[in-house]
Amino acid sequence: MDKAALRRALIEQRLNLTDRLDRADLLQQVMRFWLIDRPDTVIGAYWPIKGEFDPLPALHRWKEDGELQRGGQRRRIGLPVIDKVHKTLSFHLWYPGCPMEEDAYGIPKPKDTEVVVPTLLFVPCVGYAPGGYRLGYGGGFYDRTLATLTPRPFTVGLGFTCGYLDDFVPEPHDLPLDAILNDNGVVWPQAERPRR
């Protein structure tokens, strides 16, 4: 399998979706419903690039909803910042209007905000497959990061239906996600692992 060619084709397909905004609205709804019973108070996400689904509006709504509930629940959202030495990610507090700067790849990241540790992590999918496997951009940042986090956060892939790969063969270093959501609903449910 030529993963580089597959990535290019999937990204091109995603960028050319004529109904991408409609699909994004559907996935926003799926995500908001999926989050209702989650106990998490710190969620890690990503800044969308290359036609990716944008999780930030649903997460901002999740944050506001938690804080408006009786008794109020402080909820926080973190965006990734790359550690260039270890090629891993840390998550820094994000909120609408927070100061941002571009990282080495030209992706916006929070500037000088505190590090947060998510118990739930939403990751972008270029493609996704049965078993909870994700095709990313090939940098390995999420896999390396997840391998070092203890306890490992519950990981959820986000993507559009066109990213489904029926014949994807994971490599030994590929870590399966705990769930995958797309514009049709929950694609890959798996029982949550006990916390260590």
Side-chain angles (χ1 to χ4, degrees), residues 7 10 18 35 49-50 74 125-126 141 166 176 178 184 187:
R7 281 185 193 98
L10 288 170
T18 57
L35 281 167
I49 60 171
K50 301 179 183 180
R74 186 170 185 222
C125 295
V126 174
F141 290 103
D166 194 35
D178 297 300
N184 281 342
V187 180

Side-chain angles (χ1 to χ4, degrees), residues 41-112:
T41 58
V42 180
I43 294 179
Y46 58 90
W47 190 271
I49 60 171
K50 301 179 183 180
E52 289 173 339
F53 168 73
D54 183 355
L56 298 176
L59 287 177
H60 182 60
R61 177 91 179 259
W62 162 83
K63 180 183 183 312
E64 286 183 329
D65 288 349
E67 292 168 358
L68 292 173
Q69 291 172 0
R70 181 182 295 169
Q73 181 185 54
R74 186 170 185 222
R75 292 178 171 178
R76 304 170 85 182
I77 302 163
L79 290 183
V81 173
I82 296 171
D83 177 331
K84 294 177 194 172
V85 175
H86 299 102
K87 298 193 184 301
T88 57
L89 305 170
S90 60
F91 291 84
H92 291 244
L93 185 65
W94 174 86
Y95 50 89
C98 86
M100 302 287 282
E101 63 185 353
E102 287 188 354
D103 67 13
Y105 297 95
I107 301 170
K109 65 177 183 175
K111 180 180 182 183
D112 302 325

